[in-house]
């Protein structure tokens, strides 16, 4: 009997090799694993058959193995009738087998732990046909092969893979749509999408198949195009639609979710992409109701060869695209399959894809606005709390186990998650307070313009890390701000600096950027100027210091006043260096400021028609960046940009000089007190700063003493008085009109 089984296994293995060796041009059965394993088959000796005898374990036991990092690889086999089976290899060499819970291939929890522990896995779709004995053996054979080749496979997965071996399966990306998921995530887990609620409801209804469509002859849409920048939650939304339907369905049949990326289809060899498209759709139809999500559809580019990125030749792209079109046309709206494609580059997509009956519904998923950001922050704050609860339950259990048995046990992660999750759902367990009382997500939302949902999730995660690192009990506002700033500029990295360099940075930031920004806020009001949020001379990433501003409200469009203000603020850093440190002391530190100012000015002139030149007609602006820009026009535009920058440069300087003789309430030189405050405190809050420039005495004079650096400071300060005097003399001569405005 033993021998008989061995022969069967060997036969099966040979069959497997034959399948794997199929040419990619032909229709191979959908065994994604074969593609990977086949390439390395030659060098590997056969392992003893004794290796292949899995012992049955429960699903929760299996989850625990995964969570604890005991699993080094696994193969999931889905079956037509009955739940999927997973066969896994453990660290200690044992092979175990478990029957998956429910209908799904992978629960969300399992996918999370598989992702976290980087367990390599593959999915095998088992056809119904064939003898029952063979179909029982097949997964074992595949796992047997997989584990022999495992080191190679892991190498590929980690390193992103090189080319497939010659003669083996082509490609680097792996087959798309490997796993049929059944997402649990709900629409409530996606923030900032109120504006597309009706469209989402429509999609849900469509997948739910409530039969309310078509009453007036309308067609049931099947293809949707999600348009928006990376990280705005397009993938999350697609999964949430499936999750929402799954939560609402009463018949127990779950909606599957298949994901693929446009780049998965682009291969070196003609025909591979097209084959993968067909396989993907075949799988979708088989698992209907099902949502197919294709990310980065723009990687498929245009049929005229307009695509600039991605590998593969143009022939391959055209074939793949045509296969996709054929598939889209080939199924009816009521087949229970809907396709969602996502991109940030609508212009890169072939028009044929957008025709009626294909991806004809556009859903825009832009960066969230202020209230959207607040919603997203609240969602992820909850997520953080849930994770914290899980970790705490796990730590408790580990501690208890340790106390009871006197030994260290691996924390029972999955169980902890279950207990925590169930407890939280039933309202029995309170989510832990992990945020300080004063944490205000409305403020954070205001301070994080242009952040995507992914950015915000990352900010909160980092804030938690920062707070943990400083052994705090709760996450403070400062931790969240710190996290935001490191996302933008990099981590704080205090370094040893000479005093004169620190002095230069302080002058640049506070007497330059901050003074002009603060003054703009006062004179232009909240409609046309941002708040000063905070200022610092602690180096972060590549920057030596920074002034952070935050919008007073969502700016849907920018007024000319606002943009002129931004120009002045951007240039102010370097102006301050010249004014206070002398023309020879200017540093290269302002390069990104100058870049920013130039970009704003160029936009104002050539995009928004905001220059006051009589000579530039509207046609001139329209032509910028397009055809027919004559040399004369281009020169005019350049001239206008220069003029704008020069004017605002002078105005910014005038604002600084208007503070020349300013004193604070105690009669001290206001600019000197600002510089001292910056040098002593290193970081100032915007609100403190605004009080300071209004002349309020915020810090005790004694507090602003520089100690060992006092003498050096006094020398530098005296020198700056001379530079300032010289500069004012020049200005009075050259720019009397503007100087008068500010009563210099
Ligand atoms: P996209 O597909 O648009 O690039 P993803 O859906 O992959 O973006 O977003 C990545 C992660 O960022 C999500 O898993 C989620 O944690 C977070 N995220 C992004 N957008 C949102 C949102 N609108 N609401 C909640 N979380 C979001
Ligand atoms: Zn600067």
């Amino acid at each position: 009997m033993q021998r008989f089984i061995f022969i069967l296994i060997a036969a099966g293995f040979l069959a497997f090799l034959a399948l794997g060796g199929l040419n990619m041009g032909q229709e191979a059965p959908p065994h994604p694993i074969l593609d990977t394993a086949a390439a390395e088959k030659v060098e590997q000796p056969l392992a003893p058959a004794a290796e292949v005898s899995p012992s049955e374990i429960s699903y929760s036991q299996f989850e625990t193995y995964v969570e604890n990092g005991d699993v080094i690889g696994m193969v999931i086999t889905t079956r037509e009738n009955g739940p999927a089976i997973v066969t896994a290899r453990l660290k200690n060499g044992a092979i175990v087998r478990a029957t998956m819970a429910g209908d799904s291939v992978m629960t969300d929890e399992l996918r999370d732990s598989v992702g976290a522990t980087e367990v390599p896995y593959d999915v095998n779709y088992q056809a119904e046909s064939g003898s029952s004995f063979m179909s029982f053996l097949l997964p074992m054979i595949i796992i047997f092969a997989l584990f022999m080749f495992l080191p190679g496979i892991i190498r590929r997965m980690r390193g992103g893979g090189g080319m497939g071996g010659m003669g083996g399966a082509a490609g680097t990306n792996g087959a798309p749509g490997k796993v049929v998921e059944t997402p649990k995530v709900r629409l409530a887990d996606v923030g900032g999408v109120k504006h597309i609620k009706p469209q989402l409801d429509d999609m849900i209804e469509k997948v739910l198949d409530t039969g309310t469509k078509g009453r007036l002859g309308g067609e049931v849409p099947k293809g949707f195009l999600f348009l928006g920048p990376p990280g705005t939650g397009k993938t999350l939304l697609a999964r949430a639609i499936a999750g929402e339907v799954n939560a609402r369905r009463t018949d127990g049949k779950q909606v599957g979710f298949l994901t693929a990326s446009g780049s998965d289809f682009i291969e070196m060899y003609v025909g591979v992409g097209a084959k993968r498209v067909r396989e993907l759709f075949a799988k979708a139809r088989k698992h209907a109701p099902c949502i197919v999500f294709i990310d980065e559809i723009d990687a498929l580019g245009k049929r005229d060869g307009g695509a600039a990125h991605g590998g593969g030749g143009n022939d391959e792209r055209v074939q793949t695209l045509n296969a996709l079109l054929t598939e889209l046309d080939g199924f009816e709206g009521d087949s229970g399959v809907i396709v969602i494609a996502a991109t940030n580059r609508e212009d890169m997509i072939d028009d044929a894809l957008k025709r009626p009956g294909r991806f004809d519904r556009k859903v825009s998923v832009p960066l969230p606005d202020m209230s959207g950001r607040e919603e997203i922050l609240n969602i992820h704050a909850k997520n953080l709390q849930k994770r914290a609860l899980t970790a705490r339950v796990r730590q408790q259990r580990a501690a208890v186990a340790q106390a009871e048995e006197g030994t260290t046990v691996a924390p029972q992660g999955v169980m902890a998650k279950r207990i925590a999750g169930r407890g939280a759902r039933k309202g029995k367990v309170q989510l832990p307070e992990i945020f300080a009382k004063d944490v205000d997500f409305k403020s954070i939302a205001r301070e994080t313009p242009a952040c995507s949902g992914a950015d915000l999730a990352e900010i909160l995660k980092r804030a938690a890390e920062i707070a943990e690192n400083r052994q705090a009990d709760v996450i403070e506002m400062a931790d969240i701000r710190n996290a935001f700033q490191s996302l933008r500029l990099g981590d704080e990295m205090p370094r040893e600096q000479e005093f004169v360099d620190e002095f230069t940075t302080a002058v640049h930031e506070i007497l330059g950027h901050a003074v002009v920004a603060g003054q703009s806020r006062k004179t232009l009001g909240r409609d046309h100027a941002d708040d000063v949020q905070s200022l610092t001379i602690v180096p972060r990433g590549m920057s030596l210091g920074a002034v952070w501003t935050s919008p007073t409200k969502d700016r849907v469009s920018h007024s000319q006043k606002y943009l002129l203000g931004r120009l002045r603020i951007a240039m102010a850093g370097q102006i301050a260096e010249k004014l206070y440190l002398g023309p020879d002391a200017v540093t290269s530190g302002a390069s990104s400021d100058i870049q920013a100012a130039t970009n704003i000015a160029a936009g104002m002139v050539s995009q928004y028609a905001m220059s006051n030149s009589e000579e530039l007609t509207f046609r001139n602006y329209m032509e910028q960046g397009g055809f027919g820009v004559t040399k004369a026009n281009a020169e005019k535009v350049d001239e206008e940009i220069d003029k704008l920058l020069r004017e605002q440069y002078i105005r910014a300087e005038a604002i600084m000089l208007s503070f020349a003789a300013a004193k604070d309430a105690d009669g001290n030189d206001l600019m000197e007190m600002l510089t001292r405050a910056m040098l002593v405190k290193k970081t100032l809050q915007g609100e403190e700063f605004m009080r300071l420039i209004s002349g309020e005495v915020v810090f005790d004079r004694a507090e602003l003493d520089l100690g060992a650096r006092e003498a050096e400071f006094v020398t530098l300060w005296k020198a700056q008085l001379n530079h300032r005097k010289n500069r004012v003399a020049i200005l009075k001569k050259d720019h009397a009109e503007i100087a008068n405005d500010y009563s210099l």
Side-chain angles (χ1 to χ4, degrees), residues 234-247:
K234 296 182 292 298
T235 313
L236 183 67
L237 257 184
R239 301 185 75 233
I241 288 165
E244 199 62 33
V245 175
N246 285 341

PDB file of all heavy atoms in Angstrom, residues 234-247:
ATOM      1  N   LYS A 234      -8.618  54.207  -3.216  1.00  0.00           N
ATOM      2  CA  LYS A 234      -9.347  53.574  -4.312  1.00  0.00           C
ATOM      3  C   LYS A 234      -9.457  52.064  -4.102  1.00  0.00           C
ATOM      4  O   LYS A 234     -10.536  51.495  -4.247  1.00  0.00           O
ATOM      5  CB  LYS A 234      -8.649  53.890  -5.650  1.00  0.00           C
ATOM      6  CG  LYS A 234      -8.670  55.381  -5.970  1.00  0.00           C
ATOM      7  CD  LYS A 234      -8.026  55.692  -7.303  1.00  0.00           C
ATOM      8  CE  LYS A 234      -6.534  55.456  -7.317  1.00  0.00           C
ATOM      9  NZ  LYS A 234      -5.803  56.310  -6.359  1.00  0.00           N
ATOM     10  N   THR A 235      -8.346  51.448  -3.718  1.00  0.00           N
ATOM     11  CA  THR A 235      -8.371  50.010  -3.456  1.00  0.00           C
ATOM     12  C   THR A 235      -9.272  49.708  -2.265  1.00  0.00           C
ATOM     13  O   THR A 235     -10.096  48.786  -2.303  1.00  0.00           O
ATOM     14  CB  THR A 235      -6.947  49.506  -3.138  1.00  0.00           C
ATOM     15  OG1 THR A 235      -6.057  50.041  -4.111  1.00  0.00           O
ATOM     16  CG2 THR A 235      -6.889  48.005  -3.160  1.00  0.00           C
ATOM     17  N   LEU A 236      -9.105  50.521  -1.234  1.00  0.00           N
ATOM     18  CA  LEU A 236      -9.892  50.342  -0.021  1.00  0.00           C
ATOM     19  C   LEU A 236     -11.385  50.429  -0.337  1.00  0.00           C
ATOM     20  O   LEU A 236     -12.186  49.619   0.134  1.00  0.00           O
ATOM     21  CB  LEU A 236      -9.497  51.423   0.993  1.00  0.00           C
ATOM     22  CG  LEU A 236     -10.160  51.365   2.354  1.00  0.00           C
ATOM     23  CD1 LEU A 236      -9.725  50.136   3.116  1.00  0.00           C
ATOM     24  CD2 LEU A 236      -9.837  52.624   3.157  1.00  0.00           C
ATOM     25  N   LEU A 237     -11.763  51.398  -1.156  1.00  0.00           N
ATOM     26  CA  LEU A 237     -13.164  51.590  -1.526  1.00  0.00           C
ATOM     27  C   LEU A 237     -13.709  50.378  -2.266  1.00  0.00           C
ATOM     28  O   LEU A 237     -14.826  49.924  -1.987  1.00  0.00           O
ATOM     29  CB  LEU A 237     -13.283  52.801  -2.449  1.00  0.00           C
ATOM     30  CG  LEU A 237     -13.801  54.086  -1.859  1.00  0.00           C
ATOM     31  CD1 LEU A 237     -13.922  55.125  -2.948  1.00  0.00           C
ATOM     32  CD2 LEU A 237     -15.148  53.881  -1.185  1.00  0.00           C
ATOM     33  N   ALA A 238     -12.921  49.885  -3.214  1.00  0.00           N
ATOM     34  CA  ALA A 238     -13.365  48.733  -3.990  1.00  0.00           C
ATOM     35  C   ALA A 238     -13.611  47.546  -3.056  1.00  0.00           C
ATOM     36  O   ALA A 238     -14.616  46.845  -3.170  1.00  0.00           O
ATOM     37  CB  ALA A 238     -12.325  48.385  -5.053  1.00  0.00           C
ATOM     38  N   ARG A 239     -12.690  47.353  -2.107  1.00  0.00           N
ATOM     39  CA  ARG A 239     -12.863  46.252  -1.165  1.00  0.00           C
ATOM     40  C   ARG A 239     -14.067  46.511  -0.260  1.00  0.00           C
ATOM     41  O   ARG A 239     -14.803  45.586   0.092  1.00  0.00           O
ATOM     42  CB  ARG A 239     -11.604  46.066  -0.312  1.00  0.00           C
ATOM     43  CG  ARG A 239     -10.364  45.788  -1.141  1.00  0.00           C
ATOM     44  CD  ARG A 239      -9.155  45.482  -0.293  1.00  0.00           C
ATOM     45  NE  ARG A 239      -9.242  44.134   0.252  1.00  0.00           N
ATOM     46  CZ  ARG A 239      -9.126  43.838   1.526  1.00  0.00           C
ATOM     47  NH1 ARG A 239      -8.912  44.781   2.407  1.00  0.00           N
ATOM     48  NH2 ARG A 239      -9.209  42.605   1.917  1.00  0.00           N
ATOM     49  N   ALA A 240     -14.248  47.787   0.087  1.00  0.00           N
ATOM     50  CA  ALA A 240     -15.357  48.118   0.985  1.00  0.00           C
ATOM     51  C   ALA A 240     -16.706  47.868   0.313  1.00  0.00           C
ATOM     52  O   ALA A 240     -17.673  47.516   0.992  1.00  0.00           O
ATOM     53  CB  ALA A 240     -15.250  49.570   1.436  1.00  0.00           C
ATOM     54  N   ILE A 241     -16.750  48.041  -0.989  1.00  0.00           N
ATOM     55  CA  ILE A 241     -18.011  47.775  -1.687  1.00  0.00           C
ATOM     56  C   ILE A 241     -18.343  46.292  -1.581  1.00  0.00           C
ATOM     57  O   ILE A 241     -19.468  45.911  -1.247  1.00  0.00           O
ATOM     58  CB  ILE A 241     -17.923  48.234  -3.153  1.00  0.00           C
ATOM     59  CG1 ILE A 241     -17.929  49.761  -3.186  1.00  0.00           C
ATOM     60  CG2 ILE A 241     -19.077  47.687  -3.967  1.00  0.00           C
ATOM     61  CD1 ILE A 241     -17.490  50.356  -4.486  1.00  0.00           C
ATOM     62  N   ALA A 242     -17.332  45.461  -1.808  1.00  0.00           N
ATOM     63  CA  ALA A 242     -17.540  44.015  -1.638  1.00  0.00           C
ATOM     64  C   ALA A 242     -17.923  43.706  -0.189  1.00  0.00           C
ATOM     65  O   ALA A 242     -18.866  42.948   0.076  1.00  0.00           O
ATOM     66  CB  ALA A 242     -16.289  43.254  -2.036  1.00  0.00           C
ATOM     67  N   GLY A 243     -17.193  44.327   0.748  1.00  0.00           N
ATOM     68  CA  GLY A 243     -17.442  44.077   2.169  1.00  0.00           C
ATOM     69  C   GLY A 243     -18.844  44.492   2.572  1.00  0.00           C
ATOM     70  O   GLY A 243     -19.526  43.803   3.342  1.00  0.00           O
ATOM     71  N   GLU A 244     -19.270  45.616   2.037  1.00  0.00           N
ATOM     72  CA  GLU A 244     -20.589  46.139   2.357  1.00  0.00           C
ATOM     73  C   GLU A 244     -21.679  45.165   1.885  1.00  0.00           C
ATOM     74  O   GLU A 244     -22.615  44.854   2.616  1.00  0.00           O
ATOM     75  CB  GLU A 244     -20.747  47.504   1.670  1.00  0.00           C
ATOM     76  CG  GLU A 244     -21.830  48.379   2.221  1.00  0.00           C
ATOM     77  CD  GLU A 244     -21.586  48.761   3.684  1.00  0.00           C
ATOM     78  OE1 GLU A 244     -20.417  48.908   4.104  1.00  0.00           O
ATOM     79  OE2 GLU A 244     -22.576  48.901   4.399  1.00  0.00           O
ATOM     80  N   VAL A 245     -21.500  44.694   0.673  1.00  0.00           N
ATOM     81  CA  VAL A 245     -22.470  43.740   0.142  1.00  0.00           C
ATOM     82  C   VAL A 245     -22.461  42.470   0.986  1.00  0.00           C
ATOM     83  O   VAL A 245     -23.509  41.936   1.351  1.00  0.00           O
ATOM     84  CB  VAL A 245     -22.149  43.405  -1.330  1.00  0.00           C
ATOM     85  CG1 VAL A 245     -23.083  42.331  -1.845  1.00  0.00           C
ATOM     86  CG2 VAL A 245     -22.265  44.662  -2.186  1.00  0.00           C
ATOM     87  N   ASN A 246     -21.264  42.017   1.334  1.00  0.00           N
ATOM     88  CA  ASN A 246     -21.163  40.799   2.135  1.00  0.00           C
ATOM     89  C   ASN A 246     -21.858  40.941   3.475  1.00  0.00           C
ATOM     90  O   ASN A 246     -22.460  39.996   3.979  1.00  0.00           O
ATOM     91  CB  ASN A 246     -19.695  40.419   2.341  1.00  0.00           C
ATOM     92  CG  ASN A 246     -19.106  39.813   1.083  1.00  0.00           C
ATOM     93  OD1 ASN A 246     -19.849  39.365   0.216  1.00  0.00           O
ATOM     94  ND2 ASN A 246     -17.794  39.836   0.966  1.00  0.00           N
ATOM     95  N   ALA A 247     -21.768  42.141   4.035  1.00  0.00           N
ATOM     96  CA  ALA A 247     -22.392  42.354   5.335  1.00  0.00           C
ATOM     97  C   ALA A 247     -23.909  42.400   5.211  1.00  0.00           C
ATOM     98  O   ALA A 247     -24.626  42.038   6.136  1.00  0.00           O
ATOM     99  CB  ALA A 247     -21.873  43.646   5.944  1.00  0.00           C
TER     100      ALA A 247
END
